[in-house]
Amino acid sequence: MTLSSRFLLLSLTVLSGASALSVSPAHAATSDSAEVAALRREMAEMRHEMLSMRSELRHRNTFPTNHDGRPASDRGEAHSWKNAHAAAAHTPNDYNGSPEAGIAFNQPAKINYHATGDGRPASDRGITSSWEDFKRASADTEVVQVGGMKIGFPNGRPTIQSEDGKYAFSIGLAFHEDFGGFMGVSPKAGEAKGKFNGFTSNARRLRIPFTFRYKDWVANVTPDFGAGNNDGTVGLYEANLNYAGLRNTILTVGYFQPRVTEEDSESSNEFEFMERPGITDIVRNIAASDARFSIGGLHYEKRWWIGAYFTGQQFGGRNASGYYGGDGAVSDSQTGGTFRVAGRPVATKDWDLHLGISAISAFKPNNGTHGRSFTLSQRPEVNLGEDSLLGTGAITNVSQVWAAGPEVGLRWKSLVIKSEYYHIGVNRSHNASGQSLGNLNFGGWYVAANYTLFGTPRAYNYKEGAFAAPGVKENQEFNPATGHWGALEITGRYSETDLNSQPNSATGIRGGNQIVWSGGLNWYPNRHFRVMLDYNHFIDQRTKNDGLVNIAGRNGNSVAARVQAAF
């Protein structure tokens, strides 16, 4: 008997049973209640069977089919209802239509774990990119599909996003824990010992970048739980709004780190040494540096990079206890600007040549406790809470501070050599008695060489106009059992910073001269972690602006290490 015939027979039977129950109410009342209950149970079972067969009729494709796609029963082959029901049991009944993909409960999640690329560290700040770049990065990384959402690690950073990538939220980490100490920094006669610990530690950076995206609009908020030179203070690294919808262009407003100098354009997760060269650190602090209010943008191509920003005060600049050292008496905040352009005239598999120029200016310094004043100072290129041996003190009656200089870098296979020189000018107005104050001039430079012993060597990052750190591919991560050790590089640097200008003049500045010889090793077990070891030998001439710490000149050595996590 076919399924249709059986369905018809059952329908007639149910109707007949219903008629029997409704023919005579008086008779029904006098019938045996047990028989009535049994009949009703039988009718309920038949109704259930009818509903089941109705569903099977709607899904005839669950029946065995021939080569022409029609059910075998339509061709007259003998298939009992029992066999057909068994075949249908392999496909769950669906009374409400097909479930939406990725939403139904108990549906297996689409899982696709993989990590491609060179395995270089993530940035130490919020990652700002166009929506198209973000989607490409998401397609080329670890992804877990959960309902209509994706959870993955584009750019090595944990990220939750909508299925089309319009909405996204990511969280990162830049964790730098430094420890070490100083040797041979004994004070000379009449000098104070100063803060040069034999052993100490410092949370140099504890940044947690939060990035919020809607298409090409990106907001970054990055608190910093490390206080730079002396940990224990919580502050802000950045809080900005960005638009990346124009080709290879990022426009920014808010607290930001404007890119100026080649060293400052690199993420701190990619530095060759634990600290920047002294001259570039001084230059960046004129009108850029961390958490500087900025309005501007950058544009990049594979062969060139350009960026310019109008800048104001740093976060907390009008607070006497500010994170970056403020002044509660500021009545007129600083304004300034930065400009950087870099080119890459040679770009081959084995060679990269980088040429650039950076310029920065504080058009109008803060007007605070000391009037319009400015201070230039620098530690001996290690930040463990020690005293500065190089500094101008507060230069008063300042109308403008500016700096400019060239950048050059060369990569040949696994070797990178780079150098920068900067001249700093301080323009001064008349003093309170009407005396004309001469302008001041300072300067400095460095040269560094870096060689990758094993692992993927440093490469040129045209999106930053700077050199990126070595990489560790997923199949080369540290694992002694398979003979893989990650990446290891050796690096060396010479830097000199001169803060003397007319030192023998009554209106001049004796800020000192500092030379630092540095050597280091950097080991990357994988893209997310690094261990650094630095040795510095510093030679400082005397200065008049550091109290009793350096009145006759001071030399010394430091050995410091860093453990780093980057997501």
Side-chain angles (χ1 to χ4, degrees), residues 222-433:
T222 304
D224 192 347
F225 297 89
N229 303 305
N230 298 281
D231 57 19
T233 302
V234 178
L236 181 74
Y237 172 65
E238 66 175 346
N240 49 69
L241 175 64
N242 305 269
Y243 179 71
L246 305 176
R247 181 179 180 275
N248 295 347
T249 301
I250 300 172
L251 304 177
T252 302
V253 60
Y255 286 118
F256 181 63
Q257 181 197 339
R259 299 350 180 211
V260 64
T261 80
E262 193 280 339
E263 280 281 332
D264 198 40
S265 297
E266 296 178 5
S267 161
S268 63
N269 290 334
E270 300 177 317
F271 285 173
E272 295 178 355
F273 286 91
M274 292 166 59
E275 302 299 332
R276 302 174 182 86
I279 186 61
T280 61
D281 211 35
I282 291 175
V283 166
R284 70 190 287 266
N285 278 291
I286 292 174
S289 65
D290 305 345
R292 178 76 66 172
F293 178 78
S294 308
I295 301 175
L298 63 85
H299 179 83
Y300 60 85
E301 298 291 345
K302 290 187 176 180
R303 292 299 187 98
W304 58 276
W305 188 102
I306 188 171
Y309 298 88
F310 168 82
T311 67
Q313 68 175 23
Q314 275 187 291
F315 174 76
R318 292 182 289 110
N319 187 332
S321 59
Y323 177 64
Y324 296 100
D327 184 349
V330 172
S331 61
D332 190 14
S333 294
Q334 172 179 307
T335 59
T338 70
F339 175 78
R340 178 175 183 255
V341 61
R344 188 187 179 196
V346 177
T348 68
K349 178 182 178 182
D350 293 333
W351 292 90
D352 275 308
L353 176 62
H354 166 90
L355 298 173
I357 185 170
S358 286
I360 187 170
S361 177
F363 308 139
K364 179 189 66 175
N366 279 336
N367 189 356
T369 302
H370 302 288
R372 294 201 183 276
S373 64
F374 213 90
T375 301
L376 305 175
S377 68
Q378 181 60 33
R379 290 173 169 81
E381 299 183 10
V382 60
N383 282 358
L384 290 171
E386 69 286 350
D387 283 320
S388 295
L389 298 174
L390 185 72
T392 63
I395 305 173
T396 58
N397 301 99
V398 175
S399 60
Q400 183 183 17
V401 182
W402 61 273
E407 315 166 6
V408 61
L410 178 69
R411 181 193 66 85
W412 176 65
K413 295 184 178 179
S414 298
L415 175 67
V416 174
I417 300 174
K418 61 184 183 180
S419 179
E420 298 180 77
Y421 167 83
Y422 290 99
H423 178 84
I424 302 172
V426 178
N427 299 338
R428 294 190 289 180
S429 57
H430 296 78
N431 62 16
S433 62

Side-chain angles (χ1 to χ4, degrees), residues 2 12 40 104 116 140 278 306 327 386 394 409 421 477 488 512:
T2 67
L12 292 174
R40 286 177 176 171
T116 61
D140 192 31
I306 188 171
D327 184 349
E386 69 286 350
Y421 167 83
E477 293 177 353
L488 179 68

Side-chain angles (χ1 to χ4, degrees), residues 272 414-417 448-452 458 470 489-492 522:
E272 295 178 355
S414 298
L415 175 67
V416 174
I417 300 174
N450 177 282
Y451 187 79
T452 304
R458 287 182 175 261
E489 60 179 353
I490 184 171
T491 190
N522 303 321

